[in-house]
Amino acid sequence: MSWQDNAFTSPDYIEYLNSLTGTLRRMWRDGDWDVSAGSFFTHWREAVHVVQPFTVTTDIEVWASLDYGFTHPTAVYWHVRLDGTVYTVAEHVEAGQLVPHHAQRIREITAVLNRDVSNLTAFVAGHDVFAQRGSADGRTIADQYADEGIVLDRANIDRINGAAEMLRRIGGEDGDPAPTWKVFNTCTRLIACIPEMQINPKRPEDVLKVDADRDGNGGDDPYDGVRYGLMEKKAVVAGGFAVQY
């Protein structure tokens, strides 16, 4: 059943459904739930979504997002927004390292973006960093980052809405709607990850969870890390207007 079969569907929701792209457009707007396993982000195109780096000046808003791991990679991403488009401008993805090592790399990469970590408008992370005890004295991973001068906030970890937000920002196959998310070509792990993400056959509106191998290669950690960042600046349709929150 599609929205056309529901006489009580509001105009605002119809407008939202029409703004969807890719897999969710087929399912939520068109009522086509016969989605077999395959690539989730079918409209992702390197030629469209991957761009040459530009200088991130001090007047541009920058925020960061982190997906924690040890045996699987910690994945950190930095983002900016210009004229309605979010650019993911830097990445740090590495497995088998403790918080002090990651914190040092975070400070170094943030400095390349012409600011200090304390100047980021947000730094969000998955909720496991606030629960997982990562030291002998019982301090959480978030506590350890705070000891390094990096204060983390809880990310919006909603998987379904996170996948939908990424699809919406990737845009339509024919450029309508136009993409509002692009990635610097230096973010090589992310660029390799996105087209590899598959539909979860048991929950087709979600991305299938994939773990990295023993060497920290592959996996969905870059996807999770960047998803948290995009959800931090999510745009929703409310009364026909794009609203940032």
Side-chain angles (χ1 to χ4, degrees), residues 191-211:
I191 293 165
C193 174
I194 295 302
E196 294 298 319
M197 294 297 93
Q198 301 291 302
I199 297 167
N200 184 340
K202 296 182 179 179
R203 198 182 190 193
E205 67 271 32
D206 191 11
V207 172
L208 184 66
K209 186 71 179 170
V210 180
D211 291 330

Side-chain angles (χ1 to χ4, degrees), residues 105 182 198:
R105 291 295 295 130
K182 298 187 178 183
Q198 301 291 302

